[in-house]
């Protein structure tokens, strides 16, 4: 799977984390049904590996289903075994790129970006994006014009528009999209937010 091409086409990565495994699974499936195919299940989710395994069975082998908050090579191995087709780290991590799936590696500073690329990152998770905002991403585009960036952290609908306008490959969106759905909350609200973020990703104005 070419993660960069897929995220470039979708422009949106949904991040699911929650305390209720069954609700997290429902959230993943609802997002997919709502037209958001690129979904990351954070390993901080309760029984995350089971959620990934069951979601893979529900969504099929071609779904863009990944594991997030991968902090070690051991995390990477377990996530890939459970069915994750890509890995997302919160920081610089040794090892994930050796498991044969694409890696979206967390970095913030120029030095960290270089180190992430040296570790085999396919794209950079700019985290926490809220620390510098869209203006910081615009500044990074000058020294790193070819690097695919996915800002994550505090990305609401307006921030998503601004990041995409400033050259982000895609945006990673957690609670502003998922809300309380992964803890057993309202799925109707999730569907409505999914529709809003899809419009943002498509470049439609509110």
């Amino acid at each position: 799977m070419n993660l960069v091409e897929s995220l470039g086409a979708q422009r949106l990565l949904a991040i699911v984390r929650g305390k209720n495994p069954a609700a997290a699974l429902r959230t993943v499936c609802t997002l997919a049904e709502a037209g958001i195919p690129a979904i990351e299940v954070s390993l901080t989710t309760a029984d995350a590996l089971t959620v990934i395994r069951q979601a893979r069975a529900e969504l099929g082998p071609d779904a863009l289903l990944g594991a997030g908050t991968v902090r070690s090579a051991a995390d990477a191995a377990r996530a890939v075994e459970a069915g994750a087709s890509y890995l997302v780290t919160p920081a610089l991590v040794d090892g994930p790129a050796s498991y044969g799936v694409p890696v979206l590696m967390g970095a913030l500073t120029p030095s960290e970006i270089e180190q992430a690329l040296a570790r085999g990152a396919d794209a950079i998770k700019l985290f926490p994006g809220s620390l510098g905002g869209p203006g910081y991403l615009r500044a990074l585009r000058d020294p790193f014009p070819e690097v695919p960036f996915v800002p994550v952290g505090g990305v609401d609908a307006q921030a998503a528009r601004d990041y995409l306008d400033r050259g982000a490959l895609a945006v990673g969106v957690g609670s502003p999209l998922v809300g309380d759905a992964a803890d057993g909350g309202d799925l109707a609200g999730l569907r409505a937010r999914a529709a809003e973020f899809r419009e943002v990703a498509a470049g439609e104005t509110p």
Side-chain angles (χ1 to χ4, degrees):
M1 178 188 69
N2 189 311
L3 180 66
V4 172
E5 288 183 4
S6 297
L7 288 178
Q10 303 297 333
R11 307 186 81 200
L12 182 62
L13 171 64
I15 302 168
V16 175
R17 61 170 57 85
K19 302 173 183 176
N20 183 320
L25 177 61
R26 287 194 297 271
T27 298
V28 171
C29 293
T30 300
L31 286 166
E33 292 166 0
I36 299 180
I39 303 168
E40 164 197 335
V41 177
S42 170
L43 294 185
T44 60
T45 296
D47 205 5
L49 296 176
T50 297
V51 174
I52 293 170
R53 190 172 289 109
Q54 293 177 341
R56 175 60 66 197
E58 289 282 340
L59 301 179
D62 297 328
L64 297 175
L65 177 67
T69 324
V70 173
R71 297 177 58 198
S72 67
D75 282 348
R78 287 190 290 266
V80 171
E81 190 279 330
S85 57
Y86 59 91
L87 304 170
V88 186
T89 77
L92 300 173
V93 179
D94 290 320
S98 65
Y99 287 91
V101 300
V103 177
L104 179 59
M105 191 168 290
L108 180 63
T109 67
S111 294
E112 290 174 352
I113 291 164
E114 290 286 11
Q115 292 176 58
L117 295 172
R119 285 170 166 83
D122 294 87
I124 298 299
K125 170 184 173 178
L126 191 64
F127 179 78
S130 57
L131 195 61
Y136 181 60
L137 172 64
R138 181 174 57 189
L140 288 174
R141 299 302 302 165
D142 288 335
F144 300 106
E146 303 302 323
V147 173
F149 288 102
V150 181
V152 177
V155 180
D156 59 15
Q158 184 57 57
R161 288 187 184 91
D162 293 341
Y163 280 123
L164 293 170
D165 286 346
R166 285 164 176 77
L169 174 73
V171 290
V173 187
S175 56
L177 168 59
V178 174
D180 63 355
D183 293 324
D186 179 31
L187 293 180
L190 175 63
R191 293 186 186 94
R193 292 188 297 273
E196 178 186 12
F197 275 96
R198 283 188 65 200
E199 290 178 357
V200 170
E204 298 177 15
T205 57

